[in-house]
Amino acid sequence: MPATTRPGPRTPVWADLTAHATRLVAVPVQELFERDPGRFERLSREQAGLLLDFSRQRLDEIALAKLFQLADVIGLRARIDAMWQGAHINTTEDRAVLHVALRQPRGAGVGGADIEQAVMAERARMLGFAQGVREGAIQGTAGKPFRLVVNVGIGGSDLGPAMAVQALSAFTLGAPRCEFVSNIDGVHLADVLRDADPGTTLFIVSSKTFTTLETLTNARTARAWLAGKLGEEAVPRHFAAVSVNTRAMNEFGVHPEYRFPMWDWVGGRYSVWSSIGVSLAIAIGERNFLEFLQGGHEMDEHFRTAPWAENLPALMGLIAVWNINFMNLPTLAVLPYDDSLRRFPAYLQQLEMESNGKSVSLDGKPMDWQTAAVIWGEPGNNAQHSFFQLLHQGTARAALDFLLPVRSSCGNQEQQNLAIASCLAQAEAFMTGQSAETVRAELERQEMPPARIEPLIPHKVHPGSRPSTVVLFQKLDPATLGKLIALYEHSVFTQSVVWGINAFDQWGVELGKRLTEQLAPAVQDPGGGHAAPASVMKLLATVEKWRR
Ligand code: F6P
């Protein structure tokens, strides 16, 4: 497999797509609907239990066919095969990228026999431990079941399980409470520990590297708290850990049976499917965790085998490219209409922006094309009452993803029906907008005097044609969550292949980490003669003055 393929912007299809974009920008999306009564059928796909409705995108079948051509000329199929075959597509770290191996069922052979065997063995160990904690067979020194599980991690060692436990809270009945502590200031940890009973508290230190400052700092604070309450000898029974770094887990004092290895071919932001998901497995139980994996695997098989025209992740990724590179929409708002998904936008921020937030291509050359969108979002109804104003009428432009479950995840269908109505109404409003004529007619109907109508009209006009996709699914259950995550993962991969990016490294976060470590002594001990850059010396002096 060549280390690099030809990025999309260097292919002739790119110019064709630019021409189609120019053609389509001139047509309101509503008009595209009026011209073609079969538009929904043509621009929506139901696959793997999800319905992707992209009929409100500024697209038509001709432009879509060009996007499929783009997928062909950049060699997307070969890149997918390379990932599945375990080729070292993470070139800068010389690593395979095999999170798809983590969700395979026995006998699928993803990544080869050795990897499958290792995955199955570790999965069984982790699930055995999770089930033991969940059911109370594994206990702390108090001889009582654990009632509180605190995951200490950050980035991919936090966001995946934190988001998924929240999303699947309807499946956590009878499980210990799970908390996720990440930030270095210690506030969240202090909050969690305030009323915690040490005898029934289990900490899980999740860190692929076991060198991350935030995680190690919080883990040490937690360890000191526990040892202070129960004695040093209690530590091995109250701490589990997940890492590739066995030595560090050992040095920390984690009992060998409570240590769960992972592999360097699992990227942090793709790791919720590994033992990093142990807190999720404790929360939802073994059967649900396996369904979560199964959902991911179903999406994997779909992505690996379906033609582009039916392939949801490829479609989603190509539409993202269309919006970013051809429609000049540099941000994507992710809007779930189920409150349980409230951490999903944050999860996607790492997935998309840490993966594709790059400006050099695989061969190290600077790119002169736009890459990953800025991802943001909030549960839909909250968003309607805060930033939707900007999306409807502001000058900043964004693409929108609506995530919409049909059935309530808390048994309150009546209220979910209102969430559905809200979501569909917004999708419609963003598309159709509201013309000056409509506003005028409405105000005239209200018998407003003409002298007041005219100045009001521009304030009430909505331009419309704000592109959105609706991802409709039946219910937020473990399998569906697995599918949704894998859908976005493979969409991110699709985008990376178009742009010629390595989606699996993250060198951009290293500089800040290194500088923090250099600065920390100067902050802790200002009089100690530690070096600090001139640019922060003055601020540090004020910090010191105000801290006294
Ligand atoms: O912040 C960057 C990062 O390296 C992420 O990619 C990763 O998920 C996170 O830090 C945590 O890393 P670790 O699991 O090694 O503690």
Side-chain angles (χ1 to χ4, degrees):
M1 195 225 23
T4 59
T5 51
R6 197 172 177 199
R10 295 273 178 267
T11 64
V13 192
W14 203 258
D16 298 346
L17 281 162
T18 308
H20 285 293
T22 310
R23 172 177 64 80
L24 284 160
V25 159
V27 191
V29 177
Q30 192 181 6
E31 201 179 308
L32 297 174
F33 261 97
E34 285 159 5
R35 280 188 205 166
D36 178 10
R39 184 170 168 84
F40 172 80
E41 285 70 24
R42 274 184 251 289
L43 297 178
S44 68
R45 300 288 186 276
E46 189 183 333
Q47 291 289 340
L50 305 181
L51 172 63
L52 199 69
D53 174 8
F54 48 97
S55 58
R56 287 173 208 79
Q57 294 288 343
R58 226 168 185 147
L59 257 181
D60 61 7
E61 273 191 308
I62 310 168
L64 194 60
K66 277 284 160 203
L67 285 169
F68 299 150
Q69 209 180 318
L70 176 69
D72 284 333
V73 298
I74 56 160
L76 178 59
R77 184 66 66 197
R79 299 289 290 172
I80 294 172
D81 291 344
M83 174 153 92
W84 253 262
Q85 283 154 10
H88 285 205
I89 60 172
N90 178 355
T91 46
T92 62
E93 295 180 304
D94 194 17
R95 287 176 184 166
V97 175
L98 277 170
H99 46 278
V100 290
L102 296 168
R103 43 222 193 196
Q104 64 182 315
R106 190 175 290 284
V110 180
D114 291 351
I115 284 190
E116 184 197 323
Q117 207 190 356
V119 167
M120 292 302 151
E122 274 316 312
R123 185 191 290 171
R125 267 193 73 224
M126 181 278 274
L127 288 175
F129 173 77
Q131 208 59 9
V133 172
R134 186 180 163 85
E135 288 168 354
I138 296 177
Q139 302 181 341
T141 48
K144 290 193 226 150
F146 289 114
R147 297 311 314 149
L148 173 64
V149 173
V150 185
N151 184 80
V152 182
I154 198 162
S157 300
D158 165 74
L159 285 164
M163 175 278 289
V165 168
Q166 179 71 60
L168 298 175
S169 57
F171 297 80
T172 60
L173 199 69
R177 180 162 69 92
C178 291
E179 293 284 350
F180 295 85
V181 168
S182 54
N183 283 311
I184 203 164
D185 50 60
V187 171
H188 194 179
L189 182 60
D191 212 28
V192 168
L193 296 185
R194 191 162 302 123
D195 305 318
D197 168 9
T200 58
T201 299
L202 173 70
F203 295 95
I204 301 171
V205 185
S206 297
S207 177
K208 180 177 171 185
T209 55
F210 227 87
T211 58
T212 305
L213 184 66
E214 292 87 344
T215 301
L216 291 190
T217 306
N218 279 323
R220 286 188 198 114
T221 303
R223 192 186 193 286
W225 174 83
L226 190 102
K229 304 270 184 196
L230 301 179
E232 193 64 29
E233 61 288 357
V235 169
R237 291 186 58 189
H238 287 260
F239 274 83
V242 188
S243 183
V244 292
N245 190 342
T246 312
R247 194 169 51 82
M249 290 193 278
N250 187 24
E251 279 166 18
F252 192 85
V254 180
H255 191 281
E257 282 176 24
Y258 292 4
R259 289 182 214 154
F260 299 97
M262 55 192 292
W263 304 276
D264 68 3
W265 42 262
V266 183
R269 53 195 174 272
Y270 300 89
S271 66
V272 62
W273 322 90
S274 72
S275 291
I276 289 287
V278 62
S279 48
L280 175 63
I282 293 171
I284 63 174
E286 175 171 344
R287 192 172 51 84
N288 285 321
F289 191 85
L290 290 173
E291 280 180 19
F292 171 69
L293 296 184
Q294 179 52 36
H297 179 67
E298 195 182 329
M299 188 55 70
D300 291 341
E301 284 307 284
H302 168 68
F303 180 55
R304 194 175 65 81
T305 58
W308 307 138
E310 302 303 324
N311 194 314
L312 300 191
L315 280 160
M316 193 182 233
L318 292 169
I319 290 168
V321 166
W322 174 254
N323 281 333
I324 294 164
N325 298 108
F326 299 98
M327 293 289 129
N328 300 317
L329 297 168
T331 83
L332 172 71
V334 179
L335 307 159
Y337 278 79
D338 182 321
D339 194 66
S340 315
L341 282 171
R342 60 178 172 264
R343 294 289 285 157
F344 201 68
Y347 176 78
L348 287 188
Q349 283 177 329
Q350 188 197 18
L351 178 63
E352 302 242 8
M353 297 200 276
E354 198 167 69
S355 295
N356 286 340
K358 316 280 168 65
S359 54
V360 295
S361 52
L362 277 160
D363 56 9
K365 303 241 168 66
M367 288 181 277
D368 55 8
W369 50 91
Q370 195 70 32
T371 62
V374 172
I375 308 291
W376 55 299
E378 178 67 15
N381 286 82
N382 286 348
Q384 286 173 213
H385 294 274
S386 66
F387 56 76
F388 270 28
Q389 165 61 39
L390 175 145
L391 294 176
H392 281 296
Q393 290 187 309
T395 52
R397 307 269 321 281
L400 317 173
D401 274 4
F402 294 105
L403 303 180
L404 181 59
V406 171
R407 282 159 49 206
S408 165
S409 60
C410 67
N412 188 342
Q413 191 58 38
E414 215 177 311
Q415 286 198 220
Q416 185 58 25
N417 290 344
L418 293 175
I420 296 169
S422 306
C423 177
L424 299 183
Q426 290 295 332
E428 177 69 7
F430 279 118
M431 181 196 60
T432 56
Q434 182 164 252
S435 67
E437 293 67 46
T438 310
V439 174
R440 184 177 294 108
E442 193 188 307
L443 295 177
E444 282 170 358
R445 247 194 330 274
Q446 292 166 12
E447 295 179 0
M448 187 178 274
R452 284 191 57 208
I453 290 181
E454 288 313 314
L456 196 52
I457 287 175
H459 297 278
K460 297 193 79 161
V461 165
H462 290 226
S465 291
R466 308 297 209 218
S468 70
T469 294
V470 177
V471 184
L472 190 72
F473 47 96
Q474 289 188 22
K475 191 177 175 183
L476 190 55
D477 55 23
T480 305
L481 183 67
K483 287 178 202 176
L484 283 174
I485 300 174
L487 168 70
Y488 277 93
E489 282 179 358
H490 295 318
S491 161
V492 165
F493 181 61
T494 300
Q495 293 169 60
S496 77
V497 178
V498 172
W499 294 320
I501 281 178
N502 177 2
F504 305 106
D505 59 10
Q506 58 284 317
W507 299 106
V509 300
E510 295 305 323
L511 176 62
K513 280 189 197 171
R514 211 174 51 239
L515 289 178
T516 304
E517 271 160 28
Q518 285 166 13
L519 258 180
V523 178
Q524 303 281 20
D525 174 22
H530 303 283
S535 60
V536 298
M537 280 309 251
K538 291 277 188 289
L539 268 177
L540 262 183
T542 309
V543 167
E544 167 56 1
K545 194 166 76 195
W546 287 4
R547 192 168 51 182
R548 269 192 223 123

